């Protein structure tokens, strides 16, 4: 009788774990299988959001829309599905050339565009782009704080 109860508890526990893994999006491995469109529809602005979504979207890497915007980079579509570590030096240079032509406020949008197009940029380029986005955010926050202090 004890074995039946233990087996039933084990089956229920396994079913619960499987259910939570399927319907919970806290596991990064599960997020990797989500489509970018799902992320955009499920996006909820943070509680600290100022309500100026037009401005905030320029700073975020989240896919807020499923509209693909090209940055004169249509030729990168041929890299769809290629792993970040599989690029040749000449291919990495193609990504770098485009990154260098972008203004700082365009880089987050470019990364979103690549994501929607299922293009994984080379690791070095992704790191460089994320650094640009981070510096842009820091600069905007510093400017906003300065403006707030001046108005006080």
């Amino acid at each position: 009788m004890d074995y039946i109860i233990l087996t039933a508890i084990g089956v229920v526990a396994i079913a619960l774990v499987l259910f939570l893994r399927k319907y919970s999006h806290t596991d990064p491995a599960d997020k990797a299988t989500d489509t970018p469109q799902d992320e955009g529809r499920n996006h909820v602005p943070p509680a600290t959001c100022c309500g100026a979504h037009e401005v905030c979207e320029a700073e975020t890497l989240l896919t807020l829309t499923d509209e693909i915007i090209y940055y004169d980079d249509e030729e990168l579509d041929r890299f769809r599905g290629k792993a970040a570590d599989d690029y040749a030096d000449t291919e990495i240079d193609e990504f770098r050339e485009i990154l260098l032509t972008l203004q700082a406020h365009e880089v987050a949008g470019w990364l979103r565009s690549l994501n929607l197009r299922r293009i994984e940029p080379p690791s070095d380029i992704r790191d460089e782009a994320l650094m640009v986005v981070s510096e842009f955010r820091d600069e905007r926050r510093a400017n906003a704080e300065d403006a707030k202090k001046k108005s006080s």
Side-chain angles (χ1 to χ4, degrees):
M1 184 71 165
D2 291 333
Y3 294 111
I4 295 173
I5 294 173
L6 289 176
T7 303
I9 291 172
V11 169
V12 169
I14 291 171
L16 181 62
V17 168
L18 292 175
F19 176 81
L20 290 175
R21 287 190 74 202
K22 181 172 179 150
Y23 294 104
S24 172
H25 291 288
T26 57
D27 185 0
D30 289 341
K31 273 208 174 274
T33 62
D34 286 346
T35 61
Q37 293 82 4
D38 289 342
E39 292 173 12
R41 285 191 202 110
N42 294 331
H43 173 69
V44 176
T48 58
C49 183
C50 62
H53 302 301
E54 194 75 26
V55 176
C56 293
E57 285 183 24
E59 296 182 16
T60 184
L61 295 175
L62 295 174
T63 305
L64 301 177
T65 177
D66 55 359
E67 178 186 358
I68 295 174
I69 299 171
Y70 283 87
Y71 293 80
D72 288 329
D73 63 347
E74 294 82 2
E75 67 275 8
L76 298 181
D77 284 343
R78 72 182 192 278
F79 297 123
R80 181 175 288 126
K82 190 168 189 169
D85 297 328
D86 290 343
Y87 289 99
D89 289 341
T90 56
E91 295 170 333
I92 293 172
D93 289 340
E94 286 183 60
F95 280 88
R96 183 168 284 117
E97 183 178 326
I98 293 166
L99 176 60
L100 293 175
T101 64
L102 298 173
Q103 295 183 16
H105 70 273
E106 297 175 314
V107 176
W110 180 59
L111 290 173
R112 284 193 307 267
S113 173
L114 293 175
N115 184 41
L116 286 169
R117 291 155 49 197
R118 306 253 191 259
I119 300 169
E120 187 175 347
S123 300
D124 292 345
I125 301 301
R126 184 189 65 239
D127 294 344
E128 291 172 28
L130 291 174
M131 188 180 334
V132 170
V133 170
S134 177
E135 289 172 358
F136 177 70
R137 284 182 187 156
D138 293 344
E139 184 178 320
R140 286 188 62 135
R141 286 186 184 131
N143 290 341
E145 287 174 10
D146 288 346
K148 199 179 235 183
K149 287 178 184 176
K150 287 179 183 178
S151 68
S152 296

